[in-house]
């Protein structure tokens, strides 16, 4: 069953300006250490950050809270599964909100799709719940 859907677009030029203007203050506020390490290894650094920024916005929408009610930027971190597929790991307020959304006997799955064309990026998040195995 689908519990939430969110989408967002981001412009890498805007993210690059925020990095230039605020530097580590911006990066530490918005991105997890794992996201920072990945982006800082990339040639297209601002584009990598922009995709993750859009994913966080889309996730906050799928959670139904936006960035409020205890959900913060760093509570949502983009990671890659061994297959390379991106997903989100939630902590803090985002994890608490997700737990509130999931019916008893179900487990959540976060589906994330990222795309970019030039400086523009898009992210789509679907939060679903499936019955726990053995439940």
């Amino acid at each position: 069953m689908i519990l939430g859907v969110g989408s967002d677009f981001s412009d890498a030029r805007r993210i690059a300006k925020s990095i230039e203007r605020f530097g580590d203050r911006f990066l530490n506020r918005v991105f997890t250490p794992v996201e920072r390490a990945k982006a800082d290894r990339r040639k297209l650094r601002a584009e990598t950050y922009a995709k993750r920024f859009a994913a966080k916005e889309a996730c906050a929408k799928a959670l139904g809270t936006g960035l409020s009610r205890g959900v913060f930027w760093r509570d949502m971190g983009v990671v890659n599964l061994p297959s390379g597929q991106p997903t989100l790991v939630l902590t803090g307020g985002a994890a608490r909100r997700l737990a509130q959304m999931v019916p008893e006997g179900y487990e959540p799955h976060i589906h994330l799709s990222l795309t970019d064309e030039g400086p523009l990026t898009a992210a789509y998040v679907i939060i679903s719940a499936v019955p726990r195995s053995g439940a």
Side-chain angles (χ1 to χ4, degrees), residues 54-123:
K56 291 166 185 281
E57 287 274 10
C59 184
K61 292 171 184 174
L63 289 170
T65 60
L67 289 157
S68 66
R69 293 191 270 175
V71 175
F72 299 100
W73 291 107
R74 287 181 33 154
D75 290 346
M76 302 166 282
V78 177
V79 297
N80 293 87
L81 299 174
S83 66
Q85 177 184 356
T87 190
L88 287 143
V89 171
L90 305 186
T91 59
R96 285 188 294 277
R97 173 62 185 143
L98 179 61
Q100 293 170 352
M101 296 171 66
V102 179
E104 190 173 328
Y106 284 74
E107 62 183 46
H109 287 272
I110 300 175
H111 310 271
L112 171 63
S113 179
L114 300 170
T115 189
D116 62 275
E117 181 62 38
L120 303 178
T121 65

Side-chain angles (χ1 to χ4, degrees), residues 6-10 50 53-59 61 121-125:
S7 66
D8 194 68
F9 293 94
S10 183
F53 188 89
K56 291 166 185 281
E57 287 274 10
C59 184
K61 292 171 184 174
T121 65
Y124 301 92
V125 171

Side-chain angles (χ1 to χ4, degrees), residues 1-4 101-103 106-109 111 127-132:
M1 84 179 63
I2 293 177
L3 302 176
M101 296 171 66
V102 179
Y106 284 74
E107 62 183 46
H109 287 272
H111 310 271
I127 299 174
S128 66
V130 297
R132 280 196 185 104

